Amino acid sequence: AQTVTQSQPEMSVQEAETVTLSCTYDTSESNYYLFWYKQPPSRQMILVIRQEAYKQQNATENRFSVNFQKAAKSFSLKISDSQLGDTAMYFCAFMRGREYGNKLVFGAGTILRVKS
Amino acid sequence: EAQVTQNPRYLITVTGKKLTVTCSQNMNHEYMSWYRQDPGLGLRQIYYSMNVEVTDKGDVPEGYKVSRKEKRNFPLILESPSPNQTSLYFCASSLASGSGETQYFGPGTRLLVL
């Protein structure tokens, strides 16, 4: 079974600082997809960033970037210039492909608190 | 506005009383899915649908039913709810059923079964 591990249950960071959230996964597949979703107190699930495993270049979206290490099966999220609105639960998720129902397998989440 | 909607948003019920949580998307998305979120477990897939009349089980399908008679709707049915189905439920959809498509989530339905 595919598993996703987020080893940091909670983290905090000062406003304007940089923080990195960790994620590791276990798979024997060579082609797959990785995602980070943000869940603010409203409970809405919001896509932060997406990475395709066959692409070596790390994905970036404004202040959000990933460090994708395929051999190490690691997919960390870096948030630069942290803002109060970044306070949320962050979920790392793994997806194989259509033949597996496009199922997202989620980690347990990391609560991030941005302090002023 | 492009969105996935769920109703109701909050529901308290009693054991054994059948209920339906509706999910609708206005984006002409092909793929739809249901997840449940429990503390410490993240989200887990219940059922998914690749297209109209095509549904299949996810990781935790026991106690749930779904149907996909129209492209836009994907209701989740609990025939005889039990307290262990108390959870936060999310419906999600993606444009196509191809591999790796980004799934967009509804606002969630919080269910309490007494």
Side-chain angles (χ1 to χ4, degrees), chain A residues 11-13 19 21 79 86-90 110-114:
Chain A
M11 295 189 73
S12 63
V13 63
V19 64
L21 309 184
I79 306 174
D86 295 334
T87 292
M89 173 85 89
Y90 287 82
T110 296
I111 298 172
L112 176 67
R113 295 187 176 87
V114 180

Side-chain angles (χ1 to χ4, degrees), chain A residues 37 39 50 98 101-103, chain B residues 31 37 59 97 99-100 103:
Chain A
Y37 280 90
Q39 186 178 51
R50 173 182 179 273
R98 177 187 171 88
N102 284 341
K103 176 178 65 180
Chain B
Y31 178 93
Q37 181 180 357
D59 285 337
S97 297
S99 296
Q103 293 180 28

